[in-house]
């Protein structure tokens, strides 16, 4: 099975031109055409935490939002949302709490693709760096506690500049950390903040930063994606 997995910090749909344009974000996602997408900053931070991508807008695209929201107008948890193709069957989903000095969390889902269950976790780690390692540990402990042993992908904005330093060390040798390339800031990317980390089951066929003319203005981050292979049992 080959899966295209993408991660995108959409900056509440506000682009470099300071315009809030959800349809532009969706157009970028159409360009990538991933099977599974984890989003960061998909909900507004204050008030009722409404999604910046209206559900009615999502109805016009080939993805559905996994139900991890705690508020009626949200599609995510602390801005973390998961989109999957409509034919994917969602077996389980939940919002995860992370140790934090600021509002942070993660979205977790188990989905069935081609008859196989896989776990997807989307997250946005601490900006200050004080709790990033604790947050990665919490995610790994959650995976270790789950009763279902299934191939896992963790994606998101790790806010970690070093490819193999800091919080990334917590993954050890068993997990495969994929840094497709510089993705921030979108105008002239220099930092590899957006990462994809996989359990040993996965093989990375290819990975890219999506740097199209539209993506360069739609958000302050560029999306990243990877083509992942899951060998037959």
């Amino acid at each position: 099975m080959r899966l295209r997995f993408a991660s995108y910090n959409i900056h509440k749909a506000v682009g470099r031109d300071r315009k809030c344009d959800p349809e532009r974000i969706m157009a970028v996602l159409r360009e990538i055409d991933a099977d599974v997408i984890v989003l960061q900053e998909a909900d507004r931070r204050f008030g009722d935490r409404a999604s910046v991508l209206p559900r009615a807008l999502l109805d016009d695209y080939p993805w559905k939002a996994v139900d991890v929201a705690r508020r009626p107008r949200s599609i995510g948890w602390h801005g973390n949302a998961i989109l999957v193709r409509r034919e994917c069957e969602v077996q389980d989903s939940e919002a995860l709490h992370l140790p934090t000095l600021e509002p942070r969390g993660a979205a977790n889902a188990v989905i069935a693709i081609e008859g196989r269950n896989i776990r997807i976790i989307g997250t946005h780690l601490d900006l200050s760096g004080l709790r990033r390692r604790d947050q990665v540990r919490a995610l790994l402990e959650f995976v270790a506690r789950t009763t279902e042993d299934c191939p896992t992908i963790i994606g998101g904005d790790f806010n970690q500049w070093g490819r193999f330093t800091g919080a990334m060390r917590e993954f050890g040798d068993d997990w495969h950390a994929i840094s497709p390339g510089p993705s921030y800031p979108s105008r002239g990317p220099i930092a590899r903040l957006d990462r994809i980390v996989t359990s040993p089951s996965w093989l990375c066929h290819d990975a890219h930063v999506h740097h199209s003319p539209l993506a360069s203005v739609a958000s302050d981050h560029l999306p990243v994606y990877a083509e992942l292979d899951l060998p037959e049992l």
Side-chain angles (χ1 to χ4, degrees):
M1 181 180 75
R2 178 164 294 178
L3 176 76
R4 177 171 287 195
F5 178 92
S7 177
Y8 192 14
N9 184 330
I10 64 173
H11 196 230
K12 299 178 179 63
V14 177
R16 287 199 298 108
D17 54 5
R18 300 184 181 180
K19 295 180 180 178
C20 182
D21 191 342
E23 292 189 358
R24 182 166 57 186
I25 293 294
M26 296 306 300
V28 173
L29 295 183
R30 180 82 84 173
E31 291 179 344
I32 302 169
D33 195 30
D35 302 297
V36 176
I37 305 160
V38 294
L39 300 175
Q40 302 85 54
E41 299 191 24
D43 296 329
R44 302 187 191 281
R45 189 166 185 175
F46 302 106
D48 59 4
R49 311 290 174 88
S51 171
V52 298
L53 302 177
R55 291 181 183 274
L57 177 62
L58 287 175
D59 289 342
D60 295 331
Y61 290 85
W63 303 283
K64 60 185 178 183
V66 173
D67 184 14
V68 296
R70 298 290 186 88
R71 296 171 184 259
R73 298 187 62 197
S74 300
I75 64 168
W77 170 243
H78 289 305
N80 297 289
I82 302 175
L83 304 182
V84 298
R85 291 201 184 274
R86 294 193 177 277
E87 59 268 27
C88 290
E89 183 180 349
V90 180
Q91 309 281 23
D92 188 23
S93 63
E94 63 182 299
L96 304 180
H97 295 274
L98 294 180
T100 182
L101 298 176
E102 54 186 295
R104 295 290 174 182
N108 168 74
V110 175
I111 63 175
I113 299 180
E114 297 183 14
R116 298 189 67 177
N117 284 356
I118 62 174
R119 183 178 304 281
I120 304 295
I121 297 177
T123 192
H124 190 178
L125 298 188
D126 176 57
L127 181 61
S128 71
L130 296 176
R131 301 304 299 274
R132 253 181 249 142
R133 298 187 77 147
D134 292 337
Q135 290 167 350
V136 172
R137 288 191 200 107
L139 292 176
L140 295 178
E141 289 169 2
F142 167 78
V143 172
R145 288 195 308 270
T146 54
T147 56
E148 184 177 18
D149 181 20
C150 57
T152 299
I153 308 171
I154 302 174
D157 180 352
F158 284 75
N159 271 319
Q160 180 73 51
W161 282 64
R163 295 179 63 187
F164 306 109
T165 60
M168 301 308 295
R169 291 178 177 172
E170 297 300 320
F171 289 105
D173 297 328
D174 293 335
W175 292 74
H176 181 206
I178 303 167
S179 297
S183 57
Y184 177 85
S186 55
R187 169 178 282 180
I190 58 173
R192 299 169 181 258
L193 304 184
D194 302 286
R195 312 281 177 86
I196 298 165
V197 184
T198 68
S199 63
S201 308
W202 295 95
L203 301 175
C204 181
H205 175 73
D206 207 358
H208 297 277
V209 178
H210 183 71
H211 201 167
S212 70
L214 191 60
S216 69
V217 297
S219 171
D220 62 343
H221 284 245
L222 296 171
V224 300
Y225 69 93
E227 303 279 356
L228 302 173
D229 291 337
L230 188 60
E232 294 182 5
L233 295 174

